Amino acid sequence: MHRLMNELARVMALVGGVVLTMLILLTCISVFGRGMNTFLHSGLGEALLGGMTKTLLDTGVGPILGDFELVEAGIAFAIFAFLPFCQITNGHATVDIFTSKLGVGANRFIQMVVEIVFAAVLILIAWRLYDGMLSKMRYNETTFLLQFPIWWAYAASLVAAFLASVAGVYMAVVRTVEFFTGRVIIVPAGGADH
């Protein structure tokens, strides 16, 4: 079961990474286009390029239309896509100033409680995303510039949030079994050494 969950989490993280990379490229191209448009409208651009500025401006040199709408939707998806991998690999940031002095049993109990609470929060987020998606579908809300349905972004994030919830529940079960049996199924994160 751990192998399946680990692979699923890795695939989601890779998809999130691809989306994030595309968003970075989109932002860079849009910023470059915005800068070129500003330059072409400036006196310096006119002086250096003359009539070529009008030709370049007529080709549509400028920012990408709706870039912030795409970035907003894509970042939300990417965050949820990275959560399952972070959950499975114990990659969340922890502060263990006090817990490092506690015994193994107390730390296992704390990990179990944290995983159960985290799973519940992930389920709550997925549920609210689902309700939000239904609301956006019902009212046919679209983005301002690109006019794509907002529920598309909710649906993409919901898929990733659902998988994060599954990973959260899995880790809660693992930590509960570890606490009650004393076995180590998944080695807990060691935290940062300073």
Side-chain angles (χ1 to χ4, degrees):
M1 180 69 162
H2 185 66
R3 173 180 266 164
L4 172 69
M5 293 301 294
N6 201 19
E7 286 304 311
L8 184 63
R10 285 182 188 280
V11 167
M12 282 304 297
L14 287 173
V15 171
V18 167
V19 168
L20 195 56
T21 301
M22 290 177 7
L23 292 175
I24 290 167
L25 291 173
L26 171 86
T27 301
C28 290
I29 292 168
S30 189
V31 167
F32 178 75
R34 184 173 284 116
M36 283 299 296
N37 187 286
T38 301
F39 172 73
L40 293 173
H41 279 98
S42 71
L44 179 62
E46 295 269 339
L48 291 175
L49 299 175
M52 186 71 152
T53 57
K54 171 127 176 61
T55 305
L56 288 171
L57 288 170
D58 289 343
T59 63
V61 171
I64 296 174
L65 179 69
D67 57 347
F68 64 92
E69 294 173 349
L70 294 171
V71 169
E72 181 179 34
I75 290 293
F77 169 78
I79 289 168
F80 286 113
F82 295 140
L83 275 175
F85 185 73
C86 196
Q87 191 72 9
I88 294 292
T89 60
N90 298 302
H92 295 292
T94 60
V95 179
D96 57 357
I97 294 170
F98 301 110
T99 59
S100 63
K101 305 292 186 231
L102 298 176
V104 174
N107 276 307
R108 281 191 178 165
F109 177 76
I110 291 169
Q111 284 181 324
M112 177 186 71
V113 170
V114 166
E115 294 291 354
I116 290 169
V117 170
F118 202 27
V121 168
L122 288 171
I123 291 168
L124 177 66
I125 290 170
W127 168 49
R128 299 311 302 155
L129 270 172
Y130 176 72
D131 276 352
M133 181 188 73
L134 292 180
S135 172
K136 301 302 179 192
M137 288 174 76
R138 190 174 21 254
Y139 296 110
N140 295 319
E141 289 185 48
T142 60
T143 61
F144 182 69
L145 295 174
L146 295 178
Q147 295 293 305
F148 73 79
I150 293 175
W151 72 265
W152 290 356
Y154 274 74
S157 294
L158 178 61
V159 169
F162 173 76
L163 293 173
S165 299
V166 170
V169 169
Y170 170 72
M171 289 304 295
V173 169
V174 165
R175 295 299 182 215
T176 302
V177 169
E178 286 180 343
F179 175 72
F180 285 108
T181 64
R183 295 183 328 159
V184 175
I185 298 171
I186 299 174
V187 177
D193 292 328
H194 296 287

